Amino acid sequence: MGFARTCSVALVGVEGVVVEVQADLEPGVAAFTLVGLPDKSLTESRDRVRAAVVNSGAEWPQKKLTVGLSPASVPKSGSGFDLAVAAAVLGAAERIDPRVLPDIVMIGELGLDGRVRPVRGILPAVLAAAEAGYEQVVVPECAAAEASLVPGVSVLGVRSLRQLIAVLADEPVPEEEQDQPGRPDPLLAGLRMPGTGAATGMHSTGAAQHDQGHDLADVVGQESARTAVEVAAAGGHHLFLEGPPGAGKTMLAERLPAILPRLTRPESLEVTAVHSVAGLLPPGKPLIDVAPYCAPHHSATMQALVGGGPGIARPGAVSLAHRGVLFLDETPEFGSHVLDALRQPLEAGHVVIARSAGVVRFPARFLMVLAANPCPCGRFSQREDLCECPPSAVRRYQARLSGPLLDRVDLRVEVDRVTRGQLTGGGARDATATVADRVAAARARATARLTGTPWRSNSEVPGRELRSRWHAAPGALDEAERSLERGVLTARGLDRVLRVAWTVADLVGRDRPDARDVALALQLRTGVPRGVPMALGALT
């Protein structure tokens, strides 16, 4: 009788569980049994592994073979267990010394010819292995750079099962044929999930790639909207832009990711883990270090926006925009139930999806930007009479955005129609680099103040902490409290005004917000003029 064991990782969302892969050989009729709650793709590994072992020059054991995946109560899916199953079988057959296998975690799919193909979720799988105390992992060669992002782990990248056998058996490592330069690597086929490519609008891109050739200086006029974008970036506040078509709402949203600070190392690993599971890592760039940008079409379903799908749930747009920007253009055209599903992740910073196959948790700490026309024709305005829509149509259109959702949006700005003078004038406007420097300085002040707390930006700090731990200047909140008494603000709205006021104070360099900062925060939330200039420079 032969027995061997090694390890792999089962992913549930972006969280991993180390799975022990055990192989047992007994005398009897040749058979291959796989147990341990595998799904369909994992059950099919029996045929893939057998063909890969034979085509790699090793002998397939003609005995009763049982492969167990432990713990058996954890659902296991995908083809990433192939490499571990093959190694355990070869260890039980004594082609490989079984004593070298238990402390190694193996992740990878096997082709019928023995080549090792990459799978989605390499980074979170290696992170889970490192947290469980494992120091050696074997991954496909083309995914070794992604696995090497995890500190304290020795990574071995192999291109074929033949190479793995040679390394573990201390034999000369054979050279594998490389593909012709310039041709796409067939081993990378299948990494990208069908239906998430560029043509769908559901992909997300980093700010550096997305903002090529764009600059905030391209936006004409819109002083209040530009101020709101800067405040949103500095404090991580959600933003609602309402105005006629062609006024610059989409231009502002597209330029927002470029003024966000670069991701820290822990944030980069969080974002990269989500994109790895979704199969959306940029080619040749295993680590995402800039804020992602995701702009789904208004026909997106709830599963596409929040996450879900058949079997184990996949990350949606809210998770792909984690630590970045989620832009919902033509927001009233989204389904009302789809928009209301955003309320929980907006508050919690994560989304929990329960399915019959299991419960998964995805991070979803994003900056949301909503853009909408004021009416179906887009020309409704309190100052001009150009709208042809009946009042009932205007009310129905604006009512598509529920009050509870808008109550979670910190900044609401009306984007005015661009005038001829603004369009033809050559006035100087701050460029992206200039605004990004001010945002970085404001974030640095907030970070210094929040050191030793679990929060990273003003938008994350609970209202009770702002009221009890960090106090505004005396009398600064008088107008905001009167707005609460009149019903203009809810209790949540008052907390959000206070958060925005702290961000304004950080931008202008004050130690704590005064009455002017709170007045600007109120004006940005309610749209009602409060007698303060919209330009941040005028508040210093």
Side-chain angles (χ1 to χ4, degrees):
M1 182 181 73
F3 177 83
R5 59 188 177 91
T6 187
C7 294
S8 190
V9 177
L11 284 178
V12 182
V14 292
E15 300 174 355
V17 178
V18 175
V19 173
E20 189 176 70
V21 181
Q22 304 170 341
D24 178 69
L25 285 175
E26 296 181 354
V29 178
F32 189 170
T33 304
L34 182 63
V35 298
L37 212 59
D39 71 345
K40 179 66 174 176
S41 61
L42 182 50
T43 302
E44 293 174 348
S45 68
R46 294 176 299 184
D47 300 317
R48 291 194 301 270
V49 169
R50 182 187 290 109
V53 168
V54 173
N55 290 326
S56 297
E59 182 179 353
W60 183 259
Q62 298 300 318
K63 295 181 180 180
K64 181 182 179 182
L65 171 62
T66 303
V67 173
L69 308 175
S70 179
S73 59
V74 176
K76 303 161 189 78
S77 61
S79 55
F81 293 87
D82 289 1
L83 198 60
V85 171
V89 171
L90 293 173
E94 298 185 352
R95 174 64 178 86
I96 300 173
D97 187 351
R99 294 173 295 180
V100 305
L101 296 177
D103 296 329
I104 303 177
V105 174
M106 302 186 184
I107 308 163
E109 176 186 332
L110 286 175
L112 299 184
D113 57 354
R115 289 187 299 174
V116 182
R117 307 175 67 96
V119 294
R120 292 188 288 267
I122 290 288
L123 177 60
V126 177
L127 283 170
E131 292 174 358
Y134 290 87
E135 299 178 352
Q136 293 181 302
V137 297
V138 178
V139 298
E141 183 182 63
C142 53
E146 180 183 347
S148 299
L149 296 173
V150 182
V153 176
S154 175
V155 178
L156 171 63
V158 294
R159 194 170 180 85
S160 68
L161 182 59
R162 284 182 290 271
Q163 290 184 338
L164 178 61
I165 295 173
V167 170
L168 297 179
D170 198 19
E171 299 171 355
V173 180
E175 292 291 335
E176 294 294 341
E177 181 181 353
Q178 299 288 333
D179 294 302
Q180 297 180 6
R183 294 187 62 183
D185 191 343
L187 293 182
L188 299 179
L191 265 187
R192 184 175 294 276
M193 188 186 307
T196 56
T200 66
M202 280 304 300
H203 68 298
S204 78
T205 55
Q209 291 83 9
H210 179 79
D211 203 61
Q212 292 179 355
H214 297 79
D215 197 286
L216 199 58
D218 299 336
V219 181
V220 176
Q222 311 303 353
E223 182 180 20
S224 60
R226 289 170 61 94
T227 298
V229 166
E230 184 172 345
V231 172
H237 305 288
H238 305 306
L239 173 64
F240 177 34
L241 301 172
E242 184 179 37
K249 303 186 295 295
T250 302
M251 290 182 65
L252 287 163
E254 289 177 341
R255 285 153 179 76
L256 176 56
I259 65 176
L260 291 173
R262 296 186 77 88
L263 302 178
T264 63
R265 180 73 176 190
E267 291 172 344
S268 295
L269 291 177
E270 291 176 5
V271 173
T272 303
V274 175
H275 286 237
S276 177
V277 169
L280 293 175
L281 284 182
K285 187 175 175 59
L287 182 67
I288 299 176
D289 57 358
V290 292
Y293 174 87
C294 192
H297 190 260
H298 58 74
S299 62
T301 63
M302 184 184 297
Q303 289 76 16
L305 197 62
V306 178
I312 298 296
R314 298 290 185 180
V318 297
S319 298
L320 297 177
H322 179 59
R323 301 295 178 190
V325 176
L326 175 67
F327 177 45
L328 303 182
D329 200 5
E330 304 293 346
T331 310
E333 302 297 335
F334 283 80
S336 58
H337 66 291
V338 174
L339 293 176
D340 286 337
L342 295 174
R343 287 153 56 178
Q344 186 266 341
L346 284 174
E347 290 288 336
H350 62 266
V351 59
V352 177
I353 304 171
R355 295 290 186 270
S356 59
V359 178
V360 298
R361 181 183 183 274
F362 292 114
R365 179 76 62 184
F366 55 90
L367 193 164
M368 182 179 68
V369 180
L370 308 178
N373 297 326
C375 67
C377 76
R379 293 181 291 180
F380 177 79
S381 173
Q382 299 289 349
R383 296 180 293 274
E384 299 174 312
D385 189 19
L386 301 175
C387 178
E388 300 176 355
C389 304
S392 59
V394 176
R395 288 194 299 269
R396 284 196 303 270
Y397 189 79
Q398 295 179 349
R400 293 180 182 179
L401 301 182
S402 67
L405 176 64
L406 291 179
D407 197 40
R408 290 166 168 81
V409 178
D410 303 340
L411 312 171
R412 308 174 193 174
V413 180
E414 184 175 350
V415 182
D416 295 324
R417 184 178 290 104
V418 179
T419 65
R420 178 182 177 182
Q422 292 172 331
L423 192 60
T424 58
R429 296 179 292 272
D430 288 340
T432 292
T434 303
V435 178
D437 289 341
R438 294 200 296 261
V439 169
R443 289 258 184 167
R445 293 189 186 97
T447 300
R449 183 172 62 252
L450 299 174
T451 300
T453 72
W455 311 297
R456 305 181 185 181
S457 62
N458 291 326
S459 63
E460 301 177 17
V461 183
R464 65 179 183 277
E465 296 289 340
L466 289 176
R467 292 189 297 270
S468 61
R469 188 169 178 178
W470 295 287
H471 299 281
L477 292 176
D478 291 348
E479 183 63 26
E481 291 171 350
R482 284 193 292 269
S483 297
L484 176 65
E485 293 175 353
R486 293 195 302 266
V488 177
L489 290 178
T490 63
R492 181 192 289 119
L494 179 62
D495 288 344
R496 292 183 177 273
V497 166
L498 187 53
R499 293 172 185 170
V500 174
W502 272 103
T503 300
V504 174
D506 289 334
L507 282 168
V508 299
R510 271 192 277 275
D511 293 334
R512 56 178 179 173
D514 60 14
R516 292 174 297 172
D517 301 328
V518 176
L520 179 56
L522 273 171
Q523 186 168 324
L524 288 171
R525 181 172 179 84
T526 63
V528 178
R530 303 284 174 170
V532 293
M534 288 299 298
L536 291 169
L539 296 178
T540 56

mmCIF file of all heavy atoms in Angstrom, residues 291-310:
data_model
loop_
_atom_site.group_PDB
_atom_site.id
_atom_site.type_symbol
_atom_site.label_atom_id
_atom_site.label_comp_id
_atom_site.label_asym_id
_atom_site.label_seq_id
_atom_site.Cartn_x
_atom_site.Cartn_y
_atom_site.Cartn_z
ATOM 1 N N ALA A 291 -5.372 53.319 -8.275
ATOM 2 C CA ALA A 291 -6.794 53.146 -7.982
ATOM 3 C C ALA A 291 -7.537 52.620 -9.199
ATOM 4 O O ALA A 291 -7.426 53.189 -10.286
ATOM 5 C CB ALA A 291 -7.402 54.486 -7.550
ATOM 6 N N PRO A 292 -8.300 51.529 -9.072
ATOM 7 C CA PRO A 292 -9.057 51.006 -10.209
ATOM 8 C C PRO A 292 -10.259 51.888 -10.528
ATOM 9 O O PRO A 292 -10.722 52.676 -9.695
ATOM 10 C CB PRO A 292 -9.497 49.614 -9.746
ATOM 11 C CG PRO A 292 -9.507 49.704 -8.257
ATOM 12 C CD PRO A 292 -8.429 50.677 -7.882
ATOM 13 N N TYR A 293 -10.747 51.751 -11.737
ATOM 14 C CA TYR A 293 -11.895 52.529 -12.218
ATOM 15 C C TYR A 293 -12.834 51.566 -12.930
ATOM 16 O O TYR A 293 -12.430 50.840 -13.839
ATOM 17 C CB TYR A 293 -11.415 53.618 -13.179
ATOM 18 C CG TYR A 293 -12.513 54.412 -13.859
ATOM 19 C CD1 TYR A 293 -13.065 55.524 -13.259
ATOM 20 C CD2 TYR A 293 -12.973 54.041 -15.118
ATOM 21 C CE1 TYR A 293 -14.051 56.264 -13.896
ATOM 22 C CE2 TYR A 293 -13.961 54.772 -15.760
ATOM 23 C CZ TYR A 293 -14.492 55.884 -15.141
ATOM 24 O OH TYR A 293 -15.476 56.602 -15.767
ATOM 25 N N CYS A 294 -14.071 51.526 -12.497
ATOM 26 C CA CYS A 294 -15.045 50.596 -13.062
ATOM 27 C C CYS A 294 -16.305 51.374 -13.412
ATOM 28 O O CYS A 294 -16.852 52.093 -12.572
ATOM 29 C CB CYS A 294 -15.363 49.480 -12.070
ATOM 30 S SG CYS A 294 -16.284 48.098 -12.775
ATOM 31 N N ALA A 295 -16.761 51.238 -14.659
ATOM 32 C CA ALA A 295 -17.929 51.986 -15.130
ATOM 33 C C ALA A 295 -18.877 51.044 -15.860
ATOM 34 O O ALA A 295 -18.865 50.958 -17.090
ATOM 35 C CB ALA A 295 -17.490 53.127 -16.044
ATOM 36 N N PRO A 296 -19.709 50.306 -15.144
ATOM 37 C CA PRO A 296 -20.639 49.375 -15.791
ATOM 38 C C PRO A 296 -21.735 50.120 -16.543
ATOM 39 O O PRO A 296 -22.096 51.255 -16.200
ATOM 40 C CB PRO A 296 -21.215 48.572 -14.621
ATOM 41 C CG PRO A 296 -21.080 49.479 -13.448
ATOM 42 C CD PRO A 296 -19.831 50.271 -13.673
ATOM 43 N N HIS A 297 -22.262 49.475 -17.577
ATOM 44 C CA HIS A 297 -23.366 50.045 -18.344
ATOM 45 C C HIS A 297 -24.640 50.010 -17.507
ATOM 46 O O HIS A 297 -24.786 49.180 -16.602
ATOM 47 C CB HIS A 297 -23.558 49.244 -19.634
ATOM 48 C CG HIS A 297 -24.496 49.872 -20.612
ATOM 49 N ND1 HIS A 297 -25.803 49.479 -20.749
ATOM 50 C CD2 HIS A 297 -24.315 50.886 -21.494
ATOM 51 C CE1 HIS A 297 -26.395 50.206 -21.678
ATOM 52 N NE2 HIS A 297 -25.515 51.069 -22.153
ATOM 53 N N HIS A 298 -25.577 50.917 -17.818
ATOM 54 C CA HIS A 298 -26.781 50.993 -16.992
ATOM 55 C C HIS A 298 -27.697 49.773 -17.148
ATOM 56 O O HIS A 298 -28.667 49.634 -16.406
ATOM 57 C CB HIS A 298 -27.571 52.273 -17.283
ATOM 58 C CG HIS A 298 -27.998 52.435 -18.712
ATOM 59 N ND1 HIS A 298 -29.018 51.711 -19.275
ATOM 60 C CD2 HIS A 298 -27.525 53.250 -19.691
ATOM 61 C CE1 HIS A 298 -29.175 52.071 -20.538
ATOM 62 N NE2 HIS A 298 -28.282 53.000 -20.816
ATOM 63 N N SER A 299 -27.396 48.881 -18.100
ATOM 64 C CA SER A 299 -28.171 47.646 -18.225
ATOM 65 C C SER A 299 -27.631 46.526 -17.343
ATOM 66 O O SER A 299 -28.138 45.406 -17.390
ATOM 67 C CB SER A 299 -28.178 47.185 -19.688
ATOM 68 O OG SER A 299 -26.860 46.904 -20.127
ATOM 69 N N ALA A 300 -26.602 46.815 -16.535
ATOM 70 C CA ALA A 300 -25.993 45.785 -15.687
ATOM 71 C C ALA A 300 -27.010 45.235 -14.686
ATOM 72 O O ALA A 300 -27.823 45.972 -14.125
ATOM 73 C CB ALA A 300 -24.787 46.363 -14.944
ATOM 74 N N THR A 301 -26.947 43.941 -14.464
ATOM 75 C CA THR A 301 -27.838 43.286 -13.502
ATOM 76 C C THR A 301 -27.301 43.450 -12.091
ATOM 77 O O THR A 301 -26.172 43.919 -11.879
ATOM 78 C CB THR A 301 -27.971 41.798 -13.822
ATOM 79 O OG1 THR A 301 -26.678 41.178 -13.679
ATOM 80 C CG2 THR A 301 -28.474 41.584 -15.247
ATOM 81 N N MET A 302 -28.104 43.026 -11.119
ATOM 82 C CA MET A 302 -27.658 43.089 -9.735
ATOM 83 C C MET A 302 -26.434 42.208 -9.516
ATOM 84 O O MET A 302 -25.510 42.572 -8.796
ATOM 85 C CB MET A 302 -28.782 42.665 -8.796
ATOM 86 C CG MET A 302 -28.425 42.807 -7.315
ATOM 87 S SD MET A 302 -29.708 42.195 -6.205
ATOM 88 C CE MET A 302 -31.040 43.318 -6.612
ATOM 89 N N GLN A 303 -26.408 41.030 -10.152
ATOM 90 C CA GLN A 303 -25.255 40.136 -10.000
ATOM 91 C C GLN A 303 -24.000 40.769 -10.590
ATOM 92 O O GLN A 303 -22.906 40.618 -10.044
ATOM 93 C CB GLN A 303 -25.527 38.788 -10.671
ATOM 94 C CG GLN A 303 -26.538 37.914 -9.968
ATOM 95 C CD GLN A 303 -27.965 38.368 -10.195
ATOM 96 O OE1 GLN A 303 -28.235 39.155 -11.118
ATOM 97 N NE2 GLN A 303 -28.896 37.921 -9.362
ATOM 98 N N ALA A 304 -24.147 41.491 -11.712
ATOM 99 C CA ALA A 304 -22.983 42.135 -12.323
ATOM 100 C C ALA A 304 -22.467 43.272 -11.466
ATOM 101 O O ALA A 304 -21.260 43.519 -11.410
ATOM 102 C CB ALA A 304 -23.342 42.650 -13.718
ATOM 103 N N LEU A 305 -23.367 43.961 -10.785
ATOM 104 C CA LEU A 305 -22.963 45.122 -9.995
ATOM 105 C C LEU A 305 -22.463 44.718 -8.613
ATOM 106 O O LEU A 305 -21.402 45.172 -8.165
ATOM 107 C CB LEU A 305 -24.135 46.092 -9.862
ATOM 108 C CG LEU A 305 -23.797 47.521 -9.436
ATOM 109 C CD1 LEU A 305 -22.907 48.184 -10.469
ATOM 110 C CD2 LEU A 305 -25.067 48.332 -9.237
ATOM 111 N N VAL A 306 -23.200 43.863 -7.925
ATOM 112 C CA VAL A 306 -22.865 43.509 -6.547
ATOM 113 C C VAL A 306 -22.026 42.234 -6.478
ATOM 114 O O VAL A 306 -21.200 42.067 -5.581
ATOM 115 C CB VAL A 306 -24.156 43.360 -5.719
ATOM 116 C CG1 VAL A 306 -23.846 42.954 -4.289
ATOM 117 C CG2 VAL A 306 -24.952 44.650 -5.730
ATOM 118 N N GLY A 307 -22.221 41.325 -7.435
ATOM 119 C CA GLY A 307 -21.530 40.041 -7.424
ATOM 120 C C GLY A 307 -22.531 38.906 -7.393
ATOM 121 O O GLY A 307 -23.676 39.082 -6.989
ATOM 122 N N GLY A 308 -22.103 37.756 -7.814
ATOM 123 C CA GLY A 308 -22.992 36.599 -7.817
ATOM 124 C C GLY A 308 -22.683 35.689 -8.982
ATOM 125 O O GLY A 308 -21.529 35.510 -9.368
ATOM 126 N N GLY A 309 -23.730 35.117 -9.548
ATOM 127 C CA GLY A 309 -23.563 34.166 -10.632
ATOM 128 C C GLY A 309 -23.822 32.757 -10.164
ATOM 129 O O GLY A 309 -23.988 32.495 -8.973
ATOM 130 N N PRO A 310 -23.858 31.811 -11.093
ATOM 131 C CA PRO A 310 -24.117 30.419 -10.719
ATOM 132 C C PRO A 310 -22.956 29.832 -9.929
ATOM 133 O O PRO A 310 -21.801 30.192 -10.124
ATOM 134 C CB PRO A 310 -24.282 29.721 -12.075
ATOM 135 C CG PRO A 310 -23.521 30.575 -13.037
ATOM 136 C CD PRO A 310 -23.676 31.974 -12.546
#
